[in-house]
Amino acid sequence: MKPITKEFAMELLKEDADRIMMLIRNQNNSLCISQCKAFEEVVDTQMYGFSRQMTYAVRLGIISSKEGHQMLSDLEKELNRLYTEVYEVTQDKNESGKEV
């Protein structure tokens, strides 16, 4: 078992952030995202859990508040990018359906 060091804790936090980022980036089914709330609920749960980990790490002094906010912000930006992309695809489909 590895000793709990700041570096080890940061490594674990980054692994969790990467796992959530992959979950977001690997979602290619815009129809599922726009019509099915399961993906949104899974991501919301993951993001909430990660934010709690960040709060705990900040309180322990493992990570600065600024670093924690940046990690969360990066994930939120990626999620917003995905939702924007889904919205645009959905709009394009709706507009092309009107033209037919």
Side-chain angles (χ1 to χ4, degrees), residues 14-44:
K14 286 181 182 179
E15 285 175 9
D16 286 349
D18 289 344
R19 183 179 41 79
I20 296 168
M21 188 70 77
M22 290 302 296
L23 173 69
I24 295 167
R25 288 184 176 161
N26 286 334
Q27 181 52 272
N28 294 322
N29 188 341
S30 60
L31 184 61
C32 176
I33 294 171
S34 64
Q35 294 182 352
C36 172
K37 295 297 178 187
F39 173 76
E40 188 175 336
E41 289 179 21
V42 168
V43 171
D44 285 349

Side-chain angles (χ1 to χ4, degrees), residues 49-100:
F50 190 68
S51 73
R52 300 311 308 152
Q53 286 179 283
M54 284 291 120
T55 299
Y56 187 63
V58 168
R59 290 179 68 197
L60 289 174
I62 292 170
I63 188 171
S64 73
S65 181
K66 183 178 178 179
E67 289 172 310
H69 286 295
Q70 186 61 53
M71 289 177 84
L72 286 168
S73 177
D74 291 345
L75 290 172
E76 288 169 351
K77 285 177 188 174
E78 187 65 20
L79 190 56
N80 285 334
R81 182 205 57 77
L82 174 67
Y83 285 136
T84 299
E85 186 178 294
V86 167
Y87 176 76
E88 289 170 356
V89 166
T90 304
Q91 289 299 101
D92 289 345
K93 285 181 182 179
N94 288 340
E95 289 175 7
S96 66
K98 290 177 185 176
E99 294 174 5
V100 173

